[in-house]
Amino acid sequence: MAQSQIAFDFDDLSPAKEVKPPKAKKVVIAAPVVIPDVKNKPKSTQGRKSIKEAAAGAALVNVPPDEELFSKMYYSIGDVADMFKLKPSLIRLWENEFDALKPKKNGKGDRHFRPEDVKTLQLIFHLLREKKYTMEGAKDFIKNNSRSAGKFAMVEELKKVKAFLNELKASL
């Protein structure tokens, strides 16, 4: 609390007027405003991808043909993640969510995916990333359409034949 002071006039020794200390002025210093350049802003890696980006990402899946896939008994989670260009944590999530996917685990807890598990993962990837099913929708699809795995394998083979024919057409 500011105290008022009494000033004396020495000529008549009577109290003069009351003098208050000056009030401090508030000084506001504004920081320079930086306006971000929206045009050159790097694209965020979070959130959903557009359908075009998702289709391009699905084309990068590198699951070997059946002859080569079934040549090994087990694949590590790192190998499977590299095949699908996914993080291992997402594959572990899918393992917890989908009952059809049950890889073997050793004493340490390392996951060993059989070729059948890789095929199941390929179906799950197709439903979630290419067909844009929700997790619940994909679970229902797999549960209700157990024969759809055969259809999926047939569609994959037809895609390979189509790619071969397009390549042959381009070479003519």
Side-chain angles (χ1 to χ4, degrees), residues 57 60-64 75-88 91 118 121 125:
L60 296 177
V61 173
N62 190 19
V63 177
Y75 291 91
S76 69
I77 192 166
D79 293 339
V80 174
D82 288 341
M83 286 180 199
F84 290 98
K85 307 290 188 268
L86 298 172
K87 293 183 179 178
I91 295 173
V118 175
L121 262 174
F125 182 88

Side-chain angles (χ1 to χ4, degrees), residues 23-36:
K23 291 184 178 179
K25 294 183 178 181
K26 292 182 181 177
V27 178
V28 178
I29 301 173
V33 178
V34 178
I35 300 173

Side-chain angles (χ1 to χ4, degrees), residues 12 18 41 45 60 85 98-99 126 137 149 168:
D12 63 345
E18 193 174 304
K41 184 178 177 184
T45 58
L60 296 177
K85 307 290 188 268
F98 293 95
D99 295 332
H126 173 73
L168 185 64

Side-chain angles (χ1 to χ4, degrees), residues 48-51 53-55 57-58 61 84-86 90 94 123-133:
R48 294 194 80 153
K49 293 180 181 177
S50 69
I51 293 176
E53 289 174 340
V61 173
F84 290 98
K85 307 290 188 268
L86 298 172
L90 183 60
W94 288 352
L123 176 63
I124 293 169
F125 182 88
H126 173 73
L127 292 173
L128 294 176
R129 295 297 166 100
E130 294 175 17
K131 293 282 192 171
K132 298 290 187 183
Y133 278 48

Side-chain angles (χ1 to χ4, degrees), residues 58 76 119 158:
S76 69
K119 286 294 191 183
L158 288 173

